[in-house]
Amino acid sequence: MTSSCSSVPRRRHRRSRRRPGRASAGDPPPLSALGDFQILPLEIFQMLLNYLSVRDISTLSMVSKGISGRLSNYICTSAGNRRLLLQDFHSPRLPATAQGTSILEHYRSLGLLLKRCTLLLPTRDRLKYVHRVFSGVPCFKLSGCASPLHCLGLQCYGVFLQILTAGWDELECHRVFNFLWELSNLARKVQTVVSSKPGSARRLELRIRLFCRGVLLAGSRRGDSAFWLTRILKPWPMVNQARLLYIIFGPVSSRDVVPQEWLMENNARLLLLSGNSICFTFLASKAVNGRAVELARLMVFMVLVCEKDLYCMDWAVKMMHKVCKVFSTPWERNNFLQCLETAFARMLMDMLQAVLAGERDEEDSSFLNLFHLMNAQANFHKEILYMAMGNSSSTP
């Protein structure tokens, strides 16, 4: 509320006697959002863009809103499509552009360009613009490529989306997922494969696998991969989640070449990315079925993954504590804890022996694994001590 006695009288604006549209001789010329590009015809401006790399064009888009708008229009033209939407996805090797970068790097730079050109648009409009630009690229669609096993299209689309969505909040990423889910009609197609016999819809299984791994999961940081994998699995009951995980990460059918057995570390990493519910159910099943040695070894690798991938170590301690409650007798629980410490000791000795034997590669991975495991064991036991001391201090 404004007081009448303390209010400042409003100044009366002097009416200008200048004629509109005419500036005095001493006034500087008005600045244009296009700068010196204002005097160039649109065709010449687009010709100049051919001499710039995609990354340089993305830098140019930050100059002004006018430049950004002109670039956004250029991207949608036939000339822009020919210049920017490279579609050499089927070469046996990564093709190189004129600037000497691979096609994956090209689409990573293109992601930065479209990210900057659409910076002021709402998320929904940004996604519509991206769809309009890429609608003519068949290899970016789930069923668009005739030879998907020899195509880099989905990988290029994946690295493009990774750059485009970097820094977006969770709500915006939800919209991106829903947009891709509906655009590709993934709900109906996933329903078809999870409700049919394994291998009966082999081609569709393969396309879902390649789309999820190439567009949603490949190239993402591990925290981002957990988000996308959770979105993929969440709509389905657990039995269908297991089937979908097999389709995405396992061999597509018995006729395929079965890959080598997964490293235990990768099994542990997959469990962490699958979420607490699936992870606990899998571990509890081993506890109930008396497979304490396997459970202990897997738990050690989960601790190692927490250390390597910078997850909170108290998560591993809480998961272990929750699994211990599954054992029906104190003897079973104590036996599991003994197996856990034995597994730590054996892994440390094996890694130490590899280091002493001089088994080193270019990245010196044997020494790094030993380093990570020692830190993982120390941080794991530190969290256990924190939990134990916290419980003892609260006990009267």
Side-chain angles (χ1 to χ4, degrees):
M1 185 172 66
T2 306
S3 173
S4 60
C5 62
S6 59
S7 63
V8 179
R10 298 177 61 182
R11 294 186 60 182
R12 203 173 167 185
H13 296 284
R14 180 178 298 176
R15 182 176 299 176
S16 175
R17 297 191 178 184
R18 294 180 181 177
R19 295 183 180 179
R22 179 178 298 180
S24 61
D27 291 339
L31 295 177
S32 168
L34 296 176
D36 292 336
F37 292 113
Q38 179 71 33
I39 62 176
L40 294 179
L42 182 60
E43 294 78 6
I44 302 299
F45 175 78
Q46 294 181 359
M47 289 176 60
L48 291 176
L49 297 178
N50 293 329
Y51 294 92
L52 299 178
S53 67
V54 179
R55 190 169 291 273
D56 290 337
I57 296 175
S58 70
T59 303
L60 179 62
S61 69
M62 302 292 288
V63 171
S64 69
K65 185 177 179 180
I67 291 288
S68 178
R70 182 167 285 193
L71 291 174
S72 298
N73 294 332
Y74 166 73
I75 294 171
C76 296
T77 63
S78 57
N81 285 344
R82 287 193 302 270
R83 165 74 198 287
L84 299 175
L85 301 187
L86 303 183
Q87 300 190 40
D88 189 9
F89 300 124
H90 299 87
S91 297
R93 294 179 300 173
L94 288 180
T97 62
Q99 289 77 26
T101 56
S102 72
I103 194 169
L104 290 171
E105 288 297 326
H106 173 82
Y107 275 94
R108 187 173 283 111
S109 299
L110 187 60
L112 183 61
L113 171 58
L114 268 66
K115 184 187 187 76
R116 289 173 171 175
C117 284
T118 60
L119 192 62
L120 301 179
L121 297 178
T123 303
R124 189 182 306 275
D125 294 339
R126 298 176 89 171
L127 295 175
K128 288 181 179 178
Y129 176 79
V130 170
H131 173 60
R132 182 160 50 111
V133 172
F134 289 151
S135 59
V137 184
C139 293
F140 284 0
K141 300 174 183 178
L142 188 143
S143 301
C145 182
S147 181
L149 286 174
H150 305 94
C151 181
L152 291 170
L154 294 179
Q155 295 181 44
C156 291
Y157 195 24
V159 298
F160 168 84
L161 288 175
Q162 180 191 359
I163 297 300
L164 179 71
T165 60
W168 289 18
D169 59 34
E170 188 169 322
L171 178 60
E172 291 175 315
C173 290
H174 272 289
R175 290 174 178 168
V176 174
F177 178 82
N178 292 337
F179 179 81
L180 294 172
W181 192 261
E182 295 172 5
L183 184 65
S184 303
N185 200 12
L186 270 173
R188 183 178 62 82
K189 293 175 181 177
V190 170
Q191 179 65 49
T192 299
V193 297
V194 298
S195 59
S196 59
K197 293 182 179 180
S200 60
R202 182 173 177 270
R203 290 185 179 180
L204 185 56
E205 288 179 357
L206 177 63
R207 290 190 180 277
I208 291 174
R209 169 193 180 96
L210 294 176
F211 187 85
C212 290
R213 294 178 65 162
V215 177
L216 299 177
L217 300 174
S220 301
R221 296 184 298 273
R222 293 192 173 99
D224 296 334
S225 297
F227 169 82
W228 294 111
L229 186 59
T230 302
R231 293 296 96 206
I232 295 171
L233 298 177
K234 189 174 182 179
W236 310 102
M238 184 169 294
V239 62
N240 289 344
Q241 289 181 358
R243 176 74 184 282
L244 193 51
L245 282 172
Y246 185 83
I247 289 173
I248 295 174
F249 295 105
V252 177
S253 74
S254 59
R255 288 179 291 176
D256 292 323
V257 177
V258 179
Q260 294 181 353
E261 184 179 357
W262 277 25
L263 297 174
M264 187 64 76
E265 180 180 332
N266 291 334
N267 287 328
R269 183 169 284 112
L270 175 60
L271 278 177
L272 263 72
L273 294 177
S274 299
N276 289 350
S277 177
I278 294 178
C279 183
F280 171 72
T281 301
F282 185 85
L283 297 177
S285 175
K286 290 187 177 295
V288 170
N289 293 314
R291 300 162 73 174
V293 175
E294 292 181 26
L295 176 61
R297 190 162 180 264
L298 181 57
M299 196 72 217
V300 170
F301 276 101
M302 293 179 70
V303 171
L304 179 60
V305 170
C306 286
E307 176 67 26
K308 281 187 173 182
D309 297 355
L310 303 179
Y311 293 112
C312 294
M313 191 62 72
D314 64 340
W315 178 91
V317 174
K318 291 176 182 177
M319 182 61 68
M320 181 200 69
H321 187 260
K322 190 175 180 180
V323 170
C324 283
K325 295 180 180 180
V326 176
F327 292 105
S328 56
T329 65
W331 182 88
E332 291 178 340
R333 182 180 66 250
N334 293 337
N335 179 59
F336 162 68
L337 295 176
Q338 180 62 50
C339 291
L340 183 66
E341 295 304 319
T342 302
F344 265 119
R346 287 180 177 175
M347 281 186 60
L348 282 170
M349 292 301 297
D350 290 343
M351 291 186 179
L352 180 60
Q353 185 177 3
V355 172
L356 294 177
E359 298 177 6
R360 297 185 178 183
D361 52 20
E362 294 180 357
E363 298 180 355
D364 205 4
S365 58
S366 58
F367 179 79
L368 287 176
N369 284 333
L370 177 62
F371 172 78
H372 285 305
L373 183 60
M374 293 182 68
N375 280 336
Q377 184 183 33
N379 290 328
F380 180 69
H381 288 108
K382 178 187 70 175
E383 294 295 335
I384 293 177
L385 289 175
Y386 284 163
M387 178 180 290
M389 296 303 294
N391 292 336
S392 63
S393 62
S394 60
T395 303

